[in-house]
Amino acid sequence: MTSEQISEGSRPHLLRGVKLKNDQVRKTWVLLAPERYLRLNAVSVDILQHCDGVAAFSSIVDDLAKKYGADRALIERDVRGLLVNLLEKRMLGL
Amino acid sequence: MTSKPPLAPPSALLAELTYRCPLSCPYCSNPLAMGGRETEMSTESWQDIFTQAAELGVLHVHLSGGEPASRRDLRELVAHCARLGLYTNLITSGVGLTRASLGELAVAGLDHVQLSIQDTVAKSADWIGGYDGGFAKKMEVAGWIAEEGLPLTVNAVIHRANVERAADMVDFAVRLGARRIEIAHTQYYGWALLNRSHLMPTRAQSEKAYAEVEARRERYKGQIVIDHVAPDYHAKYPKACMSGWGRLSMNVTPQGKVLPCHAAETIPGLEFWSARERRLADIWADSPGFNAFRGSDWMQEPCRSCERREIDFGGCRCQALALVGDAAACDPICVKSPRHGLIAEIAARDSAEKNEGFIPRRIERAREKSGV
Ligand code: SF4
Ligand code: SF4
């Protein structure tokens, strides 16, 4: 499973049993999965909130590039990086 | 080393809802002396503990035992945790679940199931677990879990009777549709310590199994996540037991005792508090048992000045006690321990034992032994 698997039309979504949570105690967003949790920075939260299984990868990147007023290629690299990481951890579906 | 950083909240709570279990695995991590049903906490007590846990910062609740499905209120407990936004993980042998009860748990908000398998071969699996038909039942339960769309982790404990099939367990878990597998080479506490001479594989067997499982990582990348707990007695450094004593998680026994790990009560002289009498937050912060081995002030040499001090936290306290008689000593699994030679001796002696009969885990037997 590599980054080639993510295509422009992929519709990424968190798998069942993987959940975003705004942790009031630690004052941070976390991603909860079986036996582990990851602390998320604001950009990662933003990316994952876009991954609703409906929006296509390309439109997620478009949205975020517009929102942050950043270079699309850079944003694409970040989004892809996060998603590949979660794919390898079996936390994400396409 | 005297200024203490502020205490971080626990992220996980292992709820041992009951010690009752239809199986009798010879490596069970439960204590040798176990209280029966009449000593267990009520539904309301558990719900109150979960409410306090969520406030304290716990993220994951592991519903375990014994066999948690032996509790009739399992669905209510899951529903309560789900309402609190706690992530619920059911750690089960599968025996005691029905198609209907699993469906109800899913509706109640169960997030994940961890199903144990004793072996990949039915006859051997049933013999190890001491329960005829257990393997077939687990296969049925795995099918229901898939039907419900619940994420599945398979858990397999490795020892002499199944060590040849350690890597098969991974293939098997993939076929069951598991997203994750825990391959845990037996850790010798509780019943496993009692049965060590029946469970210990040879060094060659351990090393072969370890390498074969590791090789599966690449093959199944992106398909199944492998969490691999190394064979302690054949390792160079100890594991970071519980990721550090009182650092991330707490165990609550069926009777309400709050412990840093399964075996903590085997250490004499430590005072542990009960959630029946105190608030969970106070126990986490102030219980003498939790504070006994936090940080590094308690350490002796060679740990005290070791560069791995923050990596493995000096290994396991219960193992140091069991093997060298001092809970504050360096875990003898470590090559730096002056008593490390003992480990190879024990491993060689125990793995050469020919006796294949286990002492099966039993609540009754434990009572006879301890006179409770
Ligand atoms: S290890 Fe075996 S005996 Fe112990 S609780 Fe789990 S299934 Fe029951
Ligand atoms: S000496 Fe202690 S801290 Fe260092 S590696 Fe060994 S057990 Fe860990």
Side-chain angles (χ1 to χ4, degrees), chain B residues 237-238 302-303 306 308-309 312 314-315 330 334 336:
Chain B
Y237 293 117
C303 299
C306 178
R308 288 178 54 88
R309 200 176 56 191
D312 62 31
C330 171
C334 182
K336 295 187 180 180

Side-chain angles (χ1 to χ4, degrees), chain B residues 132-312:
Chain B
D132 276 343
F135 182 82
K137 172 78 199 206
K138 285 161 188 282
M139 295 309 101
E140 199 179 14
V141 172
W144 301 339
I145 294 168
E147 277 169 29
E148 286 292 340
L150 283 164
L152 169 69
T153 289
V154 167
N155 170 278
V157 176
I158 306 301
H159 46 79
R160 195 195 302 165
N162 63 15
V163 65
E164 311 289 347
R165 289 174 295 283
D168 291 355
M169 304 267 195
V170 183
D171 304 338
F172 192 79
V174 168
R175 288 202 295 278
L176 289 181
R179 269 191 226 164
R180 200 173 148 266
I181 182 167
E182 286 178 10
I183 297 278
H185 295 257
T186 302
Q187 305 288 308
Y188 295 100
Y189 308 101
W191 293 86
L193 187 56
L194 194 66
N195 279 309
R196 195 176 56 196
S197 67
H198 308 296
L199 295 169
M200 183 74 70
T202 63
R203 173 176 279 274
Q205 284 175 318
S206 270
E207 285 176 352
K208 181 164 180 282
Y210 190 81
E212 286 175 357
V213 169
E214 285 301 306
R216 295 294 194 279
R217 281 190 199 280
E218 198 50 39
R219 181 188 309 177
Y220 292 126
K221 196 169 176 189
Q223 202 173 350
I224 193 165
V225 174
I226 302 174
D227 277 350
H228 198 182
V229 178
D232 247 8
Y233 281 55
H234 298 122
K236 189 171 171 206
Y237 293 117
K239 61 188 175 291
C241 192
M242 301 305 292
S243 308
W245 181 275
R247 208 172 69 91
L248 300 178
S249 60
M250 50 167 91
N251 284 20
V252 182
T253 71
Q255 294 75 34
K257 266 294 177 65
V258 187
L259 306 173
C261 76
H262 282 107
E265 276 190 299
T266 60
I267 302 177
L270 288 188
E271 181 186 335
F272 294 108
W273 292 352
S274 169
R276 279 174 153 158
E277 285 146 23
R278 315 222 193 201
R279 306 291 299 164
L280 213 52
D282 296 337
I283 298 175
W284 179 249
D286 298 325
S287 148
F290 270 93
N291 281 324
F293 302 113
R294 275 194 172 122
S296 52
D297 288 350
W298 57 272
M299 285 181 179
Q300 306 169 358
E301 293 299 347
C303 299
R304 211 175 168 78
S305 55
C306 178
E307 73 287 352
R308 288 178 54 88
R309 200 176 56 191
E310 303 294 324
I311 299 172
D312 62 31

Side-chain angles (χ1 to χ4, degrees), chain B residues 21 23-25 27-30 65-67 93 116 118 361:
Chain B
C21 183
L23 274 64
S24 53
C25 307
Y27 47 76
C28 184
S29 58
N30 289 152
E67 172 49 57
S93 68
S116 64
Q118 280 60 24
R361 168 212 196 267

Side-chain angles (χ1 to χ4, degrees), chain A residues 24-59:
Chain A
Q24 303 293 341
V25 174
R26 291 172 189 76
K27 307 268 180 278
T28 177
W29 281 82
V30 291
L31 190 62
L32 298 177
E35 296 281 348
R36 53 174 52 103
Y37 73 95
L38 310 172
R39 282 174 195 261
L40 298 174
N41 60 29
V43 178
S44 298
V45 175
D46 212 354
I47 295 172
L48 292 179
Q49 283 175 335
H50 278 76
C51 295
D52 56 6
V54 179
F57 177 75
S58 58
S59 76

Side-chain angles (χ1 to χ4, degrees), chain B residues 1-47:
Chain B
M1 289 294 105
T2 43
S3 72
K4 290 205 168 48
L7 184 63
S11 53
L13 183 144
L14 181 84
E16 295 176 338
L17 299 177
T18 177
Y19 285 138
R20 287 173 286 145
C21 183
L23 274 64
S24 53
C25 307
Y27 47 76
C28 184
S29 58
N30 289 152
L32 300 183
M34 295 178 278
R37 170 187 236 142
E38 65 291 348
T39 67
E40 291 173 9
M41 280 192 288
S42 66
T43 310
E44 296 70 36
S45 298
W46 275 113
Q47 288 177 329

